[in-house]
Amino acid sequence: MSPAPRISLRTELPLLAWLVAVWGALWQDFSPGNLVFGLVLALVVTRFLYLPPVDLSGRFNVLHAVRFAFSFLGQLVVASLHILRLALTAGPRATSAVVAVPLRSHSDLLVTATGHVISLIPGSLVVDVDRANATLYVHGIDVPDRAAAERLRRSVLAAEAELIRVMGTEEELRLLREEEHLRRVSSALPGESGEEPS
């Protein structure tokens, strides 16, 4: 069996950054010393231990990453307040549901990252993953009807779209832009946005 081809350190930078961030979060310690130690461990794991290859795009948009981080923190606050209000008003009567969300990307990295982001937001949790079809099954609290299920589905797809902007391939980014353009065009057509044709 031939050895797996070596992936360049530059290509693995997003993975290393992610591993260091996870290390800091697990220890709840983002001090420079702990992050440097996490970086050393990440380098050992990615350079010397055999792992199944992670298909990386080789691109990482820092601007989108910073914007996504602030957006994610805002979602955490809003979702936490929503769960608090729900606990005080509805309690055990709150309706929940499991929603299947087919993702755009079939990349293991993006599917995993999207699942982790969604599971970190209070009120939603990935309960199963269909890897072959890139589908997440998301349990959501306060999902009483189809409209709420659709909002949950759209929030998962929005998280995936942000991650594609941060570290998706050029092809995934192009398809995302085309999808957004088609959505804008269709919403501008008479009758599509609730407007009656004149």
Side-chain angles (χ1 to χ4, degrees):
M1 180 175 160
S2 61
R6 176 68 71 183
I7 300 172
S8 72
L9 195 60
R10 179 182 173 277
T11 304
E12 282 191 333
L13 278 178
L15 178 61
L16 291 171
W18 179 261
L19 290 173
V20 171
V22 169
W23 176 261
L26 287 173
W27 287 101
Q28 297 179 359
D29 179 8
F30 289 92
S31 66
N34 190 51
L35 293 181
V36 168
F37 185 67
L39 177 61
V40 170
L41 287 179
L43 286 168
V44 168
V45 167
T46 57
R47 299 275 94 185
F48 300 110
L49 300 179
Y50 176 77
L51 297 170
V54 177
D55 191 15
L56 300 172
S57 67
R59 62 172 290 276
F60 186 81
N61 189 307
V62 176
L63 184 62
H64 279 297
V66 171
R67 191 186 73 175
F68 177 64
F70 281 106
S71 169
F72 176 69
L73 290 175
Q75 289 177 47
L76 285 180
V77 172
V78 170
S80 298
L81 293 174
H82 177 71
I83 294 298
L84 174 63
R85 181 190 62 79
L86 201 62
L88 294 175
T89 57
R93 297 187 310 278
T95 307
S96 60
V98 174
V99 178
V101 186
L103 301 179
R104 303 171 185 90
S105 174
H106 281 66
S107 158
D108 286 342
L109 180 62
L110 279 173
V111 171
T112 303
T114 304
H116 282 305
V117 165
I118 294 304
S119 294
L120 287 171
I121 296 174
S124 58
L125 178 70
V126 175
V127 294
D128 196 12
V129 180
D130 180 353
R131 184 181 174 200
N133 297 309
T135 300
L136 299 180
Y137 292 87
V138 182
H139 178 273
I141 297 176
D142 194 23
V143 186
D145 52 29
R146 287 183 182 272
E150 180 60 22
R151 283 194 299 274
L152 176 60
R153 189 186 71 81
R154 282 198 309 264
S155 72
V156 175
L157 290 175
E160 183 204 19
E162 287 300 319
L163 289 167
I164 288 174
R165 291 185 187 97
V166 172
M167 58 183 175
T169 64
E170 292 294 341
E171 177 68 10
E172 289 167 337
L173 197 57
R174 184 184 63 78
L175 292 174
L176 178 63
R177 287 174 179 155
E178 286 178 4
E179 177 187 313
E180 291 170 344
H181 175 71
L182 288 174
R183 192 180 306 120
R184 282 193 300 271
V185 169
S186 66
S187 65
L189 292 175
E192 293 291 333
S193 57
E195 299 174 0
E196 293 296 325
S198 54

